[in-house]
Amino acid sequence: MDDTKRAQLEQVERLATSLYGAQNPQERKEAERLLAHFTDPNTDNPSVILAQAQIILDHSANVWAILLGCTALLNVVTHHWANFTTPQTTEIKNYLMNILATRGLELSSDKRGLPALSELVKLITTVAKLGWIDNPELQNIVPEAMKLIQFSLMHARVAFILLSELVSTIDIPARGALPLAKHRRTALFFKETCLLNILHMSINTITSLNNGGEKGD
Protein backbone atom coordinates (compact mmCIF):
# COMPACT_ATOMS: atom_id res chain seq x y z
CA MET A 1 0.00 0.00 0.00
CA ASP A 2 1.42 3.42 -0.93
CA ASP A 3 1.72 6.31 1.52
CA THR A 4 -1.38 8.09 0.21
CA LYS A 5 -3.63 5.07 0.67
CA ARG A 6 -2.08 4.39 4.09
CA ALA A 7 -2.85 7.96 5.18
CA GLN A 8 -6.42 7.65 3.88
CA LEU A 9 -6.87 4.38 5.74
CA GLU A 10 -5.60 5.88 8.97
CA GLN A 11 -8.05 8.74 8.60
CA VAL A 12 -10.92 6.29 8.05
CA GLU A 13 -9.81 4.34 11.12
CA ARG A 14 -9.86 7.50 13.26
CA LEU A 15 -13.29 8.49 11.98
CA ALA A 16 -14.71 4.97 12.41
CA THR A 17 -13.42 4.90 15.99
CA SER A 18 -15.21 8.19 16.63
CA LEU A 19 -18.37 7.04 14.87
CA TYR A 20 -18.77 3.83 16.86
CA GLY A 21 -16.77 4.46 20.02
CA ALA A 22 -16.79 8.17 20.88
CA GLN A 23 -18.66 9.32 23.98
CA ASN A 24 -19.07 12.85 22.64
CA PRO A 25 -22.26 13.14 20.51
CA GLN A 26 -20.81 16.00 18.45
CA GLU A 27 -17.71 13.97 17.65
CA ARG A 28 -19.89 11.04 16.53
CA LYS A 29 -22.08 13.32 14.43
CA GLU A 30 -19.09 14.84 12.66
CA ALA A 31 -17.61 11.40 11.96
CA GLU A 32 -20.98 10.26 10.58
CA ARG A 33 -21.06 13.27 8.26
CA LEU A 34 -17.55 12.64 6.95
CA LEU A 35 -18.23 8.93 6.40
CA ALA A 36 -21.72 9.34 4.93
CA HIS A 37 -20.57 8.34 1.44
CA PHE A 38 -19.80 4.84 2.73
CA THR A 39 -23.43 4.13 3.54
CA ASP A 40 -25.27 6.22 0.94
CA PRO A 41 -27.69 3.80 -0.80
CA ASN A 42 -27.94 6.20 -3.75
CA THR A 43 -24.23 6.35 -4.46
CA ASP A 44 -23.32 6.66 -8.12
CA ASN A 45 -20.00 4.93 -7.57
CA PRO A 46 -20.58 1.55 -5.90
CA SER A 47 -17.34 0.24 -7.42
CA VAL A 48 -15.41 2.97 -5.61
CA ILE A 49 -17.02 2.03 -2.29
CA LEU A 50 -16.23 -1.62 -2.96
CA ALA A 51 -12.57 -0.79 -3.56
CA GLN A 52 -12.33 1.39 -0.44
CA ALA A 53 -14.03 -1.23 1.72
CA GLN A 54 -11.69 -3.91 0.39
CA ILE A 55 -8.67 -1.83 1.39
CA ILE A 56 -10.10 -1.63 4.91
CA LEU A 57 -10.76 -5.36 5.17
CA ASP A 58 -7.38 -6.26 3.69
CA HIS A 59 -5.19 -3.91 5.69
CA SER A 60 -6.89 -2.55 8.81
CA ALA A 61 -6.65 -4.08 12.27
CA ASN A 62 -9.08 -1.51 13.68
CA VAL A 63 -12.31 -3.30 14.58
CA TRP A 64 -14.42 -0.17 14.06
CA ALA A 65 -12.98 0.35 10.57
CA ILE A 66 -13.69 -3.30 9.75
CA LEU A 67 -17.27 -2.79 10.96
CA LEU A 68 -17.55 0.27 8.71
CA GLY A 69 -16.12 -1.62 5.73
CA CYS A 70 -18.60 -4.46 6.16
CA THR A 71 -21.50 -2.03 6.57
CA ALA A 72 -20.46 -0.21 3.40
CA LEU A 73 -20.24 -3.47 1.45
CA LEU A 74 -23.60 -4.63 2.78
CA ASN A 75 -25.15 -1.37 1.63
CA VAL A 76 -23.66 -1.70 -1.87
CA VAL A 77 -24.66 -5.36 -2.19
CA THR A 78 -28.21 -4.73 -1.00
CA HIS A 79 -28.91 -1.71 -3.18
CA HIS A 80 -26.88 -2.55 -6.29
CA TRP A 81 -27.16 -6.33 -6.54
CA ALA A 82 -28.53 -6.22 -10.07
CA ASN A 83 -25.34 -4.53 -11.25
CA PHE A 84 -23.17 -7.54 -10.39
CA THR A 85 -22.55 -10.38 -12.83
CA THR A 86 -22.70 -14.01 -11.69
CA PRO A 87 -18.89 -14.37 -11.72
CA GLN A 88 -18.60 -11.17 -9.67
CA THR A 89 -20.99 -12.49 -7.02
CA THR A 90 -18.90 -15.67 -6.77
CA GLU A 91 -15.76 -13.59 -6.42
CA ILE A 92 -17.34 -11.47 -3.68
CA LYS A 93 -18.46 -14.57 -1.78
CA ASN A 94 -15.03 -16.20 -2.03
CA TYR A 95 -13.31 -13.01 -0.93
CA LEU A 96 -15.58 -12.58 2.10
CA MET A 97 -15.27 -16.23 3.14
CA ASN A 98 -11.50 -15.83 3.02
CA ILE A 99 -11.77 -12.73 5.23
CA LEU A 100 -13.91 -14.73 7.65
CA ALA A 101 -11.44 -17.62 7.70
CA THR A 102 -8.42 -15.38 8.26
CA ARG A 103 -9.89 -12.72 10.55
CA GLY A 104 -12.90 -14.37 12.15
CA LEU A 105 -10.95 -15.81 15.08
CA GLU A 106 -9.35 -12.46 15.82
CA LEU A 107 -12.70 -10.68 15.80
CA SER A 108 -14.47 -13.36 17.85
CA SER A 109 -11.80 -13.33 20.58
CA ASP A 110 -12.17 -9.58 21.25
CA LYS A 111 -15.46 -8.30 22.64
CA ARG A 112 -14.98 -5.09 20.68
CA GLY A 113 -14.64 -7.13 17.51
CA LEU A 114 -17.95 -8.95 17.83
CA PRO A 115 -20.03 -6.22 16.11
CA ALA A 116 -17.63 -6.35 13.14
CA LEU A 117 -17.84 -10.14 13.05
CA SER A 118 -21.62 -9.96 13.18
CA GLU A 119 -21.70 -7.48 10.29
CA LEU A 120 -19.26 -9.58 8.25
CA VAL A 121 -21.40 -12.67 8.74
CA LYS A 122 -24.55 -10.72 7.85
CA LEU A 123 -22.82 -9.51 4.69
CA ILE A 124 -21.79 -13.04 3.65
CA THR A 125 -25.23 -14.50 4.23
CA THR A 126 -26.91 -11.62 2.40
CA VAL A 127 -24.69 -12.20 -0.64
CA ALA A 128 -25.54 -15.89 -0.50
CA LYS A 129 -29.26 -15.28 -0.19
CA LEU A 130 -29.50 -12.75 -3.01
CA GLY A 131 -27.85 -15.14 -5.45
CA TRP A 132 -28.88 -18.49 -3.98
CA ILE A 133 -31.15 -19.43 -6.87
CA ASP A 134 -29.23 -17.84 -9.75
CA ASN A 135 -25.70 -18.80 -8.71
CA PRO A 136 -25.32 -22.24 -7.09
CA GLU A 137 -21.69 -21.39 -6.24
CA LEU A 138 -23.00 -19.20 -3.44
CA GLN A 139 -24.58 -22.24 -1.79
CA ASN A 140 -21.08 -23.49 -1.06
CA ILE A 141 -20.91 -21.41 2.08
CA VAL A 142 -22.63 -24.31 3.87
CA PRO A 143 -19.94 -26.95 3.15
CA GLU A 144 -17.26 -24.27 3.60
CA ALA A 145 -18.61 -23.49 7.07
CA MET A 146 -18.64 -27.21 7.86
CA LYS A 147 -14.96 -27.39 6.92
CA LEU A 148 -14.21 -24.56 9.35
CA ILE A 149 -15.73 -26.58 12.17
CA GLN A 150 -13.09 -29.27 11.74
CA PHE A 151 -10.16 -26.98 12.54
CA SER A 152 -10.72 -26.01 16.17
CA LEU A 153 -13.28 -25.08 18.78
CA MET A 154 -12.82 -21.38 17.98
CA HIS A 155 -13.28 -22.04 14.26
CA ALA A 156 -16.40 -24.02 15.09
CA ARG A 157 -17.78 -21.05 17.01
CA VAL A 158 -17.31 -18.77 14.00
CA ALA A 159 -18.88 -21.38 11.70
CA PHE A 160 -21.91 -21.74 13.97
CA ILE A 161 -22.36 -17.95 14.00
CA LEU A 162 -22.29 -18.00 10.19
CA LEU A 163 -24.75 -20.88 9.82
CA SER A 164 -27.12 -19.45 12.41
CA GLU A 165 -27.15 -16.10 10.61
CA LEU A 166 -27.65 -17.86 7.28
CA VAL A 167 -30.79 -19.59 8.53
CA SER A 168 -32.15 -16.27 9.79
CA THR A 169 -31.19 -14.31 6.69
CA ILE A 170 -32.74 -16.83 4.30
CA ASP A 171 -35.99 -16.68 6.24
CA ILE A 172 -36.33 -12.87 6.31
CA PRO A 173 -37.48 -11.07 3.12
CA ALA A 174 -34.82 -8.79 1.62
CA ARG A 175 -37.06 -5.82 1.00
CA GLY A 176 -36.10 -3.89 -2.10
CA ALA A 177 -33.31 -6.32 -3.01
CA LEU A 178 -35.20 -9.52 -3.77
CA PRO A 179 -38.78 -9.90 -5.09
CA LEU A 180 -41.07 -11.62 -2.64
CA ALA A 181 -41.75 -14.55 -4.98
CA LYS A 182 -38.02 -15.14 -5.39
CA HIS A 183 -37.50 -14.88 -1.64
CA ARG A 184 -40.09 -17.60 -1.12
CA ARG A 185 -38.43 -19.83 -3.74
CA THR A 186 -35.06 -19.27 -2.09
CA ALA A 187 -36.36 -20.02 1.39
CA LEU A 188 -38.15 -23.17 0.24
CA PHE A 189 -35.16 -24.46 -1.71
CA PHE A 190 -32.87 -23.79 1.26
CA LYS A 191 -35.16 -25.65 3.64
CA GLU A 192 -35.42 -28.61 1.29
CA THR A 193 -31.70 -28.93 0.53
CA CYS A 194 -29.69 -27.46 3.41
CA LEU A 195 -31.58 -26.92 6.63
CA LEU A 196 -31.69 -30.56 7.74
CA ASN A 197 -27.98 -31.03 6.96
CA ILE A 198 -27.12 -27.98 9.05
CA LEU A 199 -29.20 -29.31 11.93
CA HIS A 200 -27.58 -32.77 11.81
CA MET A 201 -24.11 -31.28 11.53
CA SER A 202 -24.74 -29.01 14.50
CA ILE A 203 -26.02 -31.86 16.67
CA ASN A 204 -23.12 -34.13 15.69
CA THR A 205 -20.54 -31.43 16.37
CA ILE A 206 -21.98 -30.52 19.75
CA THR A 207 -22.13 -34.21 20.69
CA SER A 208 -18.51 -34.66 19.61
CA LEU A 209 -17.38 -31.66 21.64
CA ASN A 210 -19.27 -32.85 24.70
CA ASN A 211 -17.56 -36.21 24.36
CA GLY A 212 -14.13 -34.62 24.20
CA GLY A 213 -13.81 -34.99 20.44
CA GLU A 214 -12.72 -31.44 19.65
CA LYS A 215 -9.45 -30.98 17.88
CA GLY A 216 -8.32 -28.29 20.24
CA ASP A 217 -8.28 -24.53 20.06
Side-chain angles (χ1 to χ4, degrees):
M1 182 188 302
D2 60 38
D3 291 342
T4 300
K5 289 184 178 179
R6 170 55 63 184
Q8 291 173 343
L9 176 59
E10 290 174 353
Q11 181 184 31
V12 169
E13 289 175 338
R14 288 192 295 270
L15 290 172
T17 299
S18 296
L19 177 63
Y20 297 114
Q23 299 298 316
N24 187 319
Q26 291 183 337
E27 183 180 350
R28 289 200 306 271
K29 186 174 181 179
E30 178 64 9
E32 183 178 8
R33 183 184 70 81
L34 293 173
L35 294 172
H37 64 287
F38 273 101
T39 54
D40 180 7
N42 298 315
T43 180
D44 295 326
N45 297 299
S47 60
V48 173
I49 302 300
L50 281 172
Q52 293 175 339
Q54 184 173 353
I55 289 174
I56 294 172
L57 296 184
D58 286 343
H59 299 287
S60 181
N62 182 296
V63 295
W64 303 124
I66 295 171
L67 173 58
L68 176 67
C70 291
T71 300
L73 283 175
L74 181 61
N75 179 68
V76 169
V77 165
T78 302
H79 292 92
H80 300 275
W81 182 256
N83 295 338
F84 295 106
T85 66
T86 297
Q88 285 176 326
T89 61
T90 299
E91 183 179 350
I92 292 171
K93 187 272 295 182
N94 290 341
Y95 170 74
L96 294 174
M97 286 299 293
N98 183 62
I99 293 294
L100 182 68
T102 56
R103 313 203 65 173
L105 294 187
E106 173 190 348
L107 294 173
S108 68
S109 62
D110 181 353
K111 187 167 83 170
R112 295 183 311 151
L114 293 178
L117 176 61
S118 177
E119 194 75 352
L120 174 59
V121 165
K122 183 178 180 181
L123 171 59
I124 293 172
T125 57
T126 298
V127 169
K129 173 178 179 167
L130 293 178
W132 196 268
I133 296 294
D134 299 324
N135 183 5
E137 287 290 327
L138 303 187
Q139 300 170 21
N140 288 339
I141 71 167
V142 175
E144 288 170 9
M146 292 180 179
K147 288 180 182 178
L148 272 181
I149 290 173
Q150 300 173 11
F151 289 121
S152 73
L153 182 59
M154 291 300 294
H155 283 91
R157 180 188 180 195
V158 172
F160 278 130
I161 292 173
L162 175 62
L163 292 173
S164 176
E165 181 65 27
L166 177 63
V167 173
S168 298
T169 300
I170 290 288
D171 194 51
I172 299 174
R175 299 186 184 279
L178 200 66
L180 185 58
K182 198 165 190 177
H183 157 72
R184 289 172 176 166
R185 285 176 55 209
T186 299
L188 180 60
F189 184 66
F190 175 80
K191 290 175 182 177
E192 290 177 343
T193 59
C194 294
L195 190 57
L196 191 59
N197 288 337
I198 292 174
L199 177 61
H200 286 164
M201 179 275 302
S202 301
I203 293 174
N204 291 338
T205 301
I206 292 172
T207 300
S208 177
L209 292 177
N210 288 337
N211 291 336
E214 66 270 27
K215 297 182 182 296
D217 51 31

